[in-house]
């Protein structure tokens, strides 16, 4: 059965259909904009930016943004493997980001 179509009971199966929302409308003036896909593409953009970073701080920050974008996208398209992966990567990136912050605080010499 199609995720957007009706279930055997006749009820819509996709969350946007259950709420009566159109999946293709982000704002009234642009009916063809796939805003759910835009969130997925933003996750892809943050992933590409993550791979291009030289400094570890910026790498971790963009990785966190990528995780948040992809987790949001995964929830919207109901992709449990994607949600699980991003919810696994997010705490790892936050932990490493916190380690960077702590290491930076320990190495800062206020006398300089």
């Amino acid at each position: 059965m199609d995720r957007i179509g009706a279930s055997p009971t006749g009820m819509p199966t996709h969350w946007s259909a259950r709420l009566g929302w159109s999946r293709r409308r982000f704002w009234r003036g642009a009916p063809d904009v796939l805003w759910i896909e835009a969130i997925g593409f933003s996750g892809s953009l943050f992933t590409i930016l993550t791979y291009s970073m030289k400094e570890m701080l910026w790498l971790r920050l963009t990785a966190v943004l990528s995780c948040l974008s992809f987790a949001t996208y995964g929830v919207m398209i109901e992709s449990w493997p994607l949600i699980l992966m991003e919810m696994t990567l997010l705490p790892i990136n936050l932990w490493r980001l916190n380690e960077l912050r702590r290491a930076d605080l320990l190495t800062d010499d206020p006398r300089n």
Side-chain angles (χ1 to χ4, degrees), residues 57-74:
L57 174 67
W58 292 107
L59 184 148
R60 293 295 176 189
L61 286 172
T62 55
V64 166
L65 291 173
S66 173
C67 287
L68 292 172
S69 296
F70 273 130
T72 303
Y73 178 66

Side-chain angles (χ1 to χ4, degrees), residues 11-89:
M11 295 296 295
T13 57
H14 191 271
W15 67 269
S16 63
R18 287 192 298 261
L19 294 174
W21 295 351
S22 169
R23 290 180 64 183
R24 294 190 174 270
R25 286 185 180 254
F26 181 58
W27 60 83
R28 289 180 188 250
D32 294 327
V33 174
L34 297 172
W35 62 277
I36 294 173
E37 300 302 321
I39 293 171
F41 282 122
S42 70
S44 297
L45 175 67
F46 286 129
T47 300
I48 292 167
L49 288 174
T50 298
Y51 282 106
S52 68
M53 294 295 156
K54 290 184 179 181
E55 294 182 26
M56 191 57 71
L57 174 67
W58 292 107
L59 184 148
R60 293 295 176 189
L61 286 172
T62 55
V64 166
L65 291 173
S66 173
C67 287
L68 292 172
S69 296
F70 273 130
T72 303
Y73 178 66
V75 167
M76 293 180 133
I77 65 168
E78 298 175 357
S79 174
W80 298 111
L82 181 60
I83 296 167
L84 178 64
M85 181 181 67
E86 298 304 329
M87 289 295 107
T88 302
L89 291 173

Side-chain angles (χ1 to χ4, degrees), residues 1-15 17-18:
M1 177 84 15
D2 185 20
R3 292 181 76 93
I4 300 173
S7 69
T9 62
M11 295 296 295
T13 57
H14 191 271
W15 67 269
R18 287 192 298 261

